[in-house]
Amino acid sequence: TLSSSSAASDVYKRQAIDHARTAVEQDPDNEQLQKLLTTTLAAGNRDQQGQALLRLDKSLSITPNDPQLLMQRGYLYSRQEEPAKALQDFRAARATGEAPAGAMLDEGYALAGTGDNRGAVRTFKEAIDLDDAGTAKLTPGQRENARSAVSGYAREWGAIVSMGCLLYTSPSPRD
């Protein structure tokens, strides 16, 4: 059942976090193990995600333009349903010039999460255009996701605009 698979997943996450903590305790200067612990915490519950956020904030205070850390924190914010903060991190990661090609797509999804479907469509279209020009190296799956997002968000945005125009132009009951 779904609840038993969810419970099993929680057990595996707890075990992964415990193993990562033990590894960090045994070798606290190992940067890769530190990153592993942060990643496993980010996959955990709200409290563990909070611990991951503290670790990411600390790391970013030392290396504020690390695109991997910015992306990771952006994903964590997305998971916590804080799209505006995720958007800020995805944009900062892209501004470094070293973010992966998919960062632009993450930015688009974050824009949609803030309710800016028009901006999301613009961002996804720009990613496709950059890929066409050979500057963005999207995978075929990323490109397909971008195209689907353009279609979906443009349709939602168009419906909202249409409803707004309909409501705006409808005569009032007094007319």
Side-chain angles (χ1 to χ4, degrees):
T1 67
L2 185 59
S3 63
S4 63
S5 64
S6 177
S9 175
D10 290 344
V11 168
Y12 291 131
K13 286 177 189 175
R14 242 186 341 270
Q15 288 175 341
I17 290 169
D18 290 344
H19 288 303
R21 282 183 207 247
T22 300
V24 166
E25 287 169 7
Q26 293 173 354
D27 190 0
D29 296 328
N30 186 317
E31 192 175 313
Q32 293 304 315
L33 292 177
Q34 293 288 347
K35 287 180 181 181
L36 175 65
L37 177 56
T38 301
T39 300
T40 57
L41 286 167
N45 62 32
R46 273 285 198 194
D47 180 55
Q48 293 158 338
Q49 290 174 15
Q51 293 172 45
L53 188 56
L54 289 173
R55 294 173 63 82
L56 286 165
D57 288 344
K58 181 179 178 186
S59 295
L60 282 163
S61 73
I62 298 165
T63 54
N65 294 320
D66 183 317
Q68 290 180 333
L69 292 173
L70 289 163
M71 292 295 296
Q72 188 174 13
R73 191 172 67 179
Y75 292 135
L76 182 54
Y77 281 138
S78 292
R79 190 157 185 240
Q80 293 181 330
E81 298 178 9
E82 295 190 49
K85 290 180 179 180
L87 177 61
Q88 185 177 0
D89 279 347
F90 294 142
R91 284 183 170 164
R94 284 189 55 219
T96 69
E98 297 175 23
M104 192 168 208
L105 303 182
D106 295 322
E107 182 179 326
Y109 290 118
L111 277 164
T114 66
D116 185 2
N117 288 0
R118 188 177 193 179
V121 168
R122 200 172 33 251
T123 301
F124 288 121
K125 284 182 176 181
E126 183 183 351
I128 293 167
D129 290 345
L130 290 172
D131 191 51
D132 287 345
T135 11
K137 306 286 188 217
L138 299 177
T139 66
Q142 288 173 321
R143 188 176 173 85
E144 180 57 33
N145 289 342
R147 287 167 117 29
S148 295
V150 166
S151 175
Y153 291 126
R155 186 172 30 255
E156 286 178 31
W157 177 70
I160 291 167
V161 169
S162 295
M163 284 300 295
C165 288
L166 179 65
L167 293 173
Y168 181 74
T169 59
S170 294
S172 69
R174 290 182 233 147
D175 288 344

